[in-house]
Amino acid sequence: MTFPPAREKLQRRAGGTLVIAGLGPGHVNLITPEVSTALAAATDVIGYIPYVARIAPRPGLTLHASDNRVEIDRAQHALQLASEGCQVVVVSSGDPGVFAMASAVFEAVEAGAPEWRNLDIRVLPGITAMLAAAARCGAPLGHDFCAINLSDNLKPWSLIEKRLRLAVEADFAMGFYNPRSNARPEGFGRALTLLKQICRDQRPIIFARAVSTEAEVIKILPLQDAQPDMADMRTVVLLGSSTTRLIERAGPPLVYTPRSVSL
Ligand code: SAH
């Protein structure tokens, strides 16, 4: 943690800003220049502990790291600092609009102090996990696709199952975020059982862990061979549509979904 010098304190009075930025999936080269510029101008960076840990400390910058379960408190804190004149950047991994802080900030704006609505608030996109993972193995999301958060922290499990069924019926390729955590060890196994039952084919499933970091591991296998313990909270899971196929070659196969479908 660093504390701003007096000069920064003067700048704070000039008018605050709130930027909600995506840091991409992990590698520094996947942070957009626009996000880097916003971070360089920040007086305060706010976010979940591992995301704030990706920001280098420097004089004039205060880092506010908090636990995962306090999104609304974190959003209110960011809005309060911006309304006091700070240059605030709220950081998310990937894209801030994908199961991340942008919606939490807007929930806080909607329910909060009327003057928060008039703040200078901008959302800066980032490369979301499913797109970084897809690029690693070819083009599995090359036709129509959807993204589903498999956590039932903020919605009932029955709704997740309904969306899985309908997404298979619509023949989307899918990206699954938050597939499995220590607090929710069972759900992903139930999701896999359901998907194996309703798909019944050998479409590929991809387990992409810690994409673009040193810990990256990508596994490509037929859906029917997938096991619950292949996923954890650092994994995004991609499931092909009925037309997704593999090009075998030396080394890992290329996975792609053709751009056209004929009925
Ligand atoms: N806003 C983020 C998603 C946050 S939800 C984004 O756009 O990517 C957190 C989930 O994202 C994790 O449980 C995992 O499913 C996925 N995820 C984030 N970073 C990842 C990475 N580098 N590799 C694989 N999955 C990742």
Side-chain angles (χ1 to χ4, degrees), residues 25 93-95 98-100 128-129 177-179 208 210-211 233-236:
S93 74
D95 182 275
V98 179
F99 311 131
T128 191
Y177 287 76
N178 295 310
V211 175
M233 279 304 279
R234 294 191 75 189
T235 306
V236 66

Side-chain angles (χ1 to χ4, degrees), residues 24-27 51 54 92-101 126-130 132-133 149 176-180 184 208-213 232-237:
H27 197 284
Y51 307 154
R54 289 170 59 185
S92 287
S93 74
D95 182 275
V98 179
F99 311 131
M101 280 305 293
I127 297 176
T128 191
M130 71 188 289
N149 184 346
F176 301 134
Y177 287 76
N178 295 310
R180 191 161 171 264
R184 298 178 289 104
R209 182 169 194 277
V211 175
S212 87
T213 75
D232 65 6
M233 279 304 279
R234 294 191 75 189
T235 306
V236 66
V237 181

Side-chain angles (χ1 to χ4, degrees), residues 70 108 136 243:
V70 295
R136 274 285 189 264
T243 62

